[in-house]
Amino acid sequence: MKLIKGDEVQVIRGKDKGKRGNVEKVLRKSNAVLLPGLNLYKRHMKAKSQRQKSEIITLTKPIALANVAIICPNCKKMTRVGYRIDKDEKKRICLKCKKII
Ligand SMILES: [Zn+2]
């Protein structure tokens, strides 16, 4: 998993293409990330009892990792993540500016 919580990413495919957001959660099992306010969908909740009202709620759907690209905090460009071993520690680097991200 190359993305971590807090990373700024840009959506590169789908209906929110071009929009940016910060990763709120990384879903390792499904290879997806949650970006608050992006990839929303509406769901109709039916009332389960007479006291409840049926309503439409908005949910955030996870976006597949393949559909987002990380924005490097150093060069502010869409980039890919690489790795560098630095004193036995694996560091993420931006493949464009080679800085640690
Ligand atoms: Zn960079």
Side-chain angles (χ1 to χ4, degrees):
M1 189 61 74
K2 289 185 171 178
L3 293 181
I4 55 172
K5 189 181 169 181
D7 280 344
E8 190 181 11
V9 296
Q10 182 163 333
V11 180
I12 51 171
R13 281 185 205 101
K15 71 178 172 94
D16 283 324
K17 187 179 170 183
K19 290 185 186 169
R20 290 182 180 193
N22 286 86
V23 174
E24 188 179 76
K25 205 174 174 186
V26 177
L27 305 154
R28 287 173 179 273
K29 277 186 189 162
S30 46
N31 268 310
V33 288
L34 265 187
L35 303 172
L38 291 184
N39 210 24
L40 300 176
Y41 76 107
K42 290 196 163 75
R43 200 163 132 190
H44 201 88
M45 297 292 281
K46 272 196 177 166
K48 283 175 189 139
S49 69
Q50 284 197 329
R51 274 192 194 163
Q52 271 184 326
K53 274 185 193 164
S54 64
E55 55 183 345
I56 292 166
I57 56 165
T58 306
L59 296 168
T60 305
K61 239 186 187 174
I63 302 183
L65 280 183
N67 294 343
V68 298
I70 189 167
I71 310 286
C72 169
N74 296 303
C75 63
K76 306 285 175 197
K77 287 178 191 154
M78 268 201 283
T79 187
R80 284 185 301 131
V81 174
Y83 291 99
R84 193 172 75 195
I85 307 293
D86 200 5
K87 291 174 189 139
D88 287 342
E89 244 186 285
K90 205 169 162 190
K91 299 252 169 80
R92 293 195 311 168
I93 57 162
C94 162
L95 287 180
K96 283 195 174 145
C97 67
K98 312 288 180 202
K99 289 204 172 128
I100 290 167
I101 50 176

